[in-house]
């Protein structure tokens, strides 16, 4: 990923508008918002040099709480719009942000094809295991039997093992962070943006208003950083998949898997080979009146 030069000494303030945050007290969105602004500042990416794409959800309310080029898309559709933008202008880092409801329900097909296509974007999953914006319904990641607003007797479906699912698609970058560890999440996001290819970042996030089963405190007790294990090798696909999927006891965080040097979707496009310009630079005004005449 090429990163545009900074316009000033970057700091978190460069990415912070005056719009006040409206998330509930204790919401994990605050931690993710802070880590994202820190990561952009530390990468010296100026606000005019990044595209931030938001899905629908409580996280999407971040779209006017952070500076940068921003696009707030439709529910479950953030990945294709981010991928399209990255293909049109591969020089600008593109970060797509979505919730677990949108991503693993409506948008799951988009996730599948983004991972297997290896689009050069970073995807941040706000994983609070519920549809929070619509007041606490179950998503595909909510544990079976959990009482939710639309499941007063408990959910009846088996939850999706999201990490194992992502690994089944042969990703090139998988990480997991926690909204309560801003320092670690900042480093994860910096590594994700720097990775060439599709970077999948699962962020465990507290939603104290609607999720009473995976609290900030319970995450604090269970998460550990794989960087603390000197024998952990993020290039070991099998171990990474097992480690990422094993969430029964402790939960592994950090850069869990990384495979560098894999061609991106753009790299594989034969018509783009050897072309130095981007698609957006090739846009021109053309008179198509003559072409249309034959349909008149
Ligand atoms: Fe955060 Fe949950 Fe409140 Fe939404 S409902 S702002 S996710 S705590």
């Amino acid at each position: 990923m090429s990163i545009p030069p900074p316009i000033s000494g970057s700091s978190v303030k460069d990415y912070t508008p005056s719009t006040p945050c409206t998330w509930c007290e204790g919401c994990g969105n605050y931690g993710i918002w802070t880590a994202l602004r820190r990561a952009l500042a530390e990468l010296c990416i100026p606000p005019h040099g990044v595209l931030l794409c938001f899905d629908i959800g409580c996280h999407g309310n971040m779209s006017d709480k952070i500076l940068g080029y921003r696009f707030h898309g439709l529910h479950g559709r953030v990945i294709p719009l981010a991928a399209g933008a990255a293909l049109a202008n591969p020089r600008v880092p593109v970060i797509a942000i979505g919730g677990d409801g949108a991503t693993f329900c409506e948008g799951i097909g988009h996730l599948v094809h983004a991972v297997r296509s290896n689009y050069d974007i970073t995807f941040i999953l706000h994983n609070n295991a519920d549809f929070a914006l619509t007041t606490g319904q179950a998503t595909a990641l909510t544990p079976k039997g959990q009482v939710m607003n639309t499941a007063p007797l408990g959910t009846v479906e088996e939850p999706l093992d999201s990490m194992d699912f992502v690994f089944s698609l042969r990703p090139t970058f998988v990480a997991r962070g926690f909204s309560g560890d801003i320092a670690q999440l900042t480093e994860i996001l910096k590594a994700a943006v720097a990775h060439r290819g599709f970077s999948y970042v699962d962020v465990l996030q507290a939603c104290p208003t609607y999720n009473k089963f995976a609290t900030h405190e319970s995450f604090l007790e269970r998460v550990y950083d794989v960087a603390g294990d000197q024998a952990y090798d993020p290039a070991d696909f099998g171990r990474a998949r097992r480690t990422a999927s094993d969430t029964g006891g402790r939960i592994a965080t950090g850069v869990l898997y990384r495979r560098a040097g894999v061609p991106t979707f753009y790299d594989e496009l034969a018509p783009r080979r050897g072309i130095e310009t981007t698609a957006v630079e090739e846009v021109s005004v053309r008179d198509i009146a003559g072409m249309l005449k034959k349909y008149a």
Side-chain angles (χ1 to χ4, degrees):
M1 177 65 63
S2 64
I3 294 174
I7 45 172
S8 63
S10 295
S11 77
V12 169
K13 278 197 277 184
D14 294 334
Y15 308 87
T16 312
S18 56
T19 322
C21 292
T22 53
W23 297 307
C24 310
E25 189 176 326
C27 177
N29 283 331
Y30 289 103
I32 304 172
W33 172 64
T34 302
L36 179 56
R37 287 175 299 140
R38 276 195 191 174
L40 292 170
E42 291 178 20
L43 286 169
C44 292
I45 299 176
H48 73 267
V50 64
L51 175 66
L52 302 160
C53 302
F54 296 88
D55 210 296
I56 300 297
C58 286
H59 78 277
N61 292 339
M62 194 192 300
S63 63
D64 62 352
K65 317 292 187 298
I66 188 168
L67 293 177
Y69 286 105
R70 289 151 289 155
F71 196 111
H72 203 156
L74 300 176
H75 201 208
R77 313 298 171 201
V78 73
I79 288 177
L81 74 87
L87 293 174
N89 188 355
R91 294 197 185 119
V92 171
V94 178
I95 299 173
I97 306 170
D100 58 287
T103 304
F104 286 99
C105 294
E106 294 93 324
I108 193 166
H110 299 309
L111 175 67
V112 168
H113 299 296
V115 177
R116 59 183 279 273
S117 299
N118 200 28
Y119 295 129
D120 191 13
I121 64 175
T122 296
F123 177 66
I124 304 172
L125 181 78
H126 283 235
N127 185 355
N128 58 15
D130 71 72
F131 282 106
L133 190 68
T134 48
T135 70
Q137 294 79 25
T139 71
L141 305 195
T142 305
K144 185 177 182 181
Q146 185 61 47
V147 172
M148 303 297 289
N149 272 354
T150 48
L153 301 179
T155 59
V156 296
E157 301 103 332
E158 290 293 336
L160 187 69
D161 183 339
S162 61
M163 276 298 200
D164 196 56
F165 179 77
V166 169
F167 270 95
S168 76
L169 303 169
R170 303 286 155 182
T172 60
F173 184 103
V174 179
R176 180 159 50 211
F178 164 46
S179 59
D181 188 341
I182 293 169
Q184 183 209 32
L185 185 55
T186 301
E187 294 306 314
I188 288 173
L189 293 177
K190 286 162 62 180
V193 172
H195 175 74
R196 273 201 97 242
F198 189 83
S199 305
Y200 180 82
V201 182
D202 178 357
V203 186
L204 303 171
Q205 179 208 336
C207 169
T209 303
Y210 295 115
N211 179 331
K212 309 295 184 190
F213 50 93
T215 62
H216 177 86
E217 292 71 23
S218 69
F219 284 135
L220 275 177
E221 286 170 8
R222 297 176 64 200
V223 294
Y224 71 97
D225 191 338
V226 292
D229 178 356
Q230 299 218 330
Y232 191 87
D233 177 6
D236 182 338
F237 181 86
R239 181 169 180 189
R241 185 173 186 171
R242 288 191 302 277
T243 302
S245 306
D246 181 9
T247 54
R250 299 185 73 206
I251 303 174
T253 62
V255 176
L256 303 174
Y257 181 65
R258 178 161 36 196
R259 186 163 45 116
V262 179
T264 66
F265 182 89
Y266 192 91
D267 296 336
E268 299 279 15
L269 291 178
R272 301 304 304 173
R273 286 194 192 131
I275 296 177
E276 297 296 321
T277 52
T278 65
V280 289
E281 291 165 331
E282 295 156 19
V283 173
S284 61
V285 177
R286 294 189 189 177
D287 184 355
I288 59 169
M291 188 181 82
L292 293 177
K293 269 189 192 148
K294 68 179 178 181
Y295 301 107

